[in-house]
Amino acid sequence: MPAYQRILLKLSGEALMGDDAFGINRATIVRIVDEIADVTRLGVQVAIVIGGGNIFRGVAGGSVGMDRATADYMGMLATVMNSLALADTMNKAGLVARVMSAIGIEQVVEPYVRPKALQYLEEGKVVVFAAGTGNPFFTTDTAAALRGAEIGAEVVLKATKVDGVYTADPNKDPSATRYTSISFDEAMVKNLQVMDATAFALCRDQKLPVRVFSIFKSGALRNVVMGADEGTLVHV
């Protein structure tokens, strides 16, 4: 039996790039969707928040000197683009995906409505939450924490390029070791930067655990859902 029945998967936009400089790598997004499909077959309800860094990176040079709120709204639109691409790939793979946006663009995707999102999850659909929180100055990490709490997710799964939280940067320090588990308070004291401070505080206050793992390791998502020792669990 899966260890979790309802999860919030947080994907960075960069996770979709593969080896490309920006944009979406087709082979990479298909592989990620295969991992998601695998856990849905276990009966796990899956909601997703995805960043927009891979899209926004392509226009980052032009954003220099731009008003922060304007740049953040551009980033929100980038997350909508990623969400549409991810949902399209999931639908083609046999899943049923629904994109819900925190900003109003009804001609493209439906607005985020919590009861509707819960209904979709209970029907076995994968729900992709786009446009962050709908507000500038908040990251998609915060959106993941917020939506995770709202839908009653049992855990936020932060999928990264690194297979957990380490005592130091493993790319710079070969002696760095991975934490199997760590408390929110200890991670904050050690400034491990698992998520941004707002998201981290929200998860801690809501007693919503966070597991950090590598989305690039085949089968890692399934291992996490089944309760295996994969990545790092951050808990109260």
Side-chain angles (χ1 to χ4, degrees):
M1 288 289 293
Y4 304 109
Q5 297 301 314
R6 179 177 293 171
I7 64 172
L8 189 294
L9 176 63
K10 169 59 172 66
L11 288 168
S12 67
E14 287 79 358
L16 303 184
M17 295 193 311
D19 295 326
D20 299 340
F22 58 86
I24 298 170
N25 181 283
R26 178 66 183 172
T28 299
I29 195 172
V30 167
R31 187 190 59 75
I32 290 173
V33 166
D34 286 343
E35 299 273 336
I36 295 168
D38 189 32
V39 300
T40 62
R41 286 192 288 268
L42 298 172
V44 178
Q45 297 176 8
V46 180
I48 301 171
V49 169
I50 187 166
N54 59 315
I55 301 294
F56 194 70
R57 184 177 296 189
V59 296
S63 68
V64 175
M66 184 180 294
D67 177 76
R68 167 65 189 274
T70 300
D72 281 358
Y73 280 118
M74 290 173 65
M76 289 180 213
L77 295 176
T79 72
V80 174
M81 295 169 67
N82 278 339
S83 297
L84 288 170
L86 187 64
D88 180 72
T89 306
M90 286 192 285
N91 287 328
K92 288 177 178 175
L95 298 173
V96 180
R98 293 288 184 268
V99 179
M100 308 187 86
S101 172
I103 57 176
I105 42 176
E106 284 84 352
Q107 293 92 334
V108 182
V109 293
E110 62 183 291
Y112 168 67
V113 178
R114 179 175 175 269
K116 194 70 174 178
L118 292 171
Q119 177 186 330
Y120 286 153
L121 289 170
E122 289 164 2
E123 291 172 351
K125 297 179 175 69
V126 179
V127 182
V128 186
F129 297 122
T133 66
N135 302 285
F137 308 107
F138 291 94
T139 69
T140 49
D141 275 353
T142 299
L146 177 63
R147 297 291 181 247
E150 286 182 310
I151 66 170
E154 297 161 277
V155 65
V156 171
L157 304 182
K158 184 172 171 64
T160 69
K161 293 183 177 181
V162 183
D163 64 339
V165 179
Y166 280 75
T167 54
D169 187 341
N171 295 317
K172 298 178 180 178
D173 184 357
S175 65
T177 57
R178 176 177 64 88
Y179 291 100
T180 301
S181 67
I182 188 171
S183 70
F184 283 107
D185 289 341
E186 186 179 357
M188 292 178 75
V189 168
K190 294 182 176 180
N191 194 30
L192 295 177
Q193 298 179 337
V194 178
M195 306 172 87
D196 75 78
T198 303
F200 210 61
L202 180 55
C203 287
R204 182 189 62 181
D205 292 347
Q206 296 300 315
K207 297 180 173 57
L208 179 59
V210 177
R211 186 172 285 275
V212 182
F213 72 104
S214 173
I215 194 63
F216 294 96
K217 179 181 176 182
S218 179
L221 179 58
R222 181 188 178 95
N223 289 343
V224 167
V225 166
M226 294 303 292
D229 177 20
E230 188 75 52
T232 302
L233 179 67
V234 187
H235 56 88
V236 176

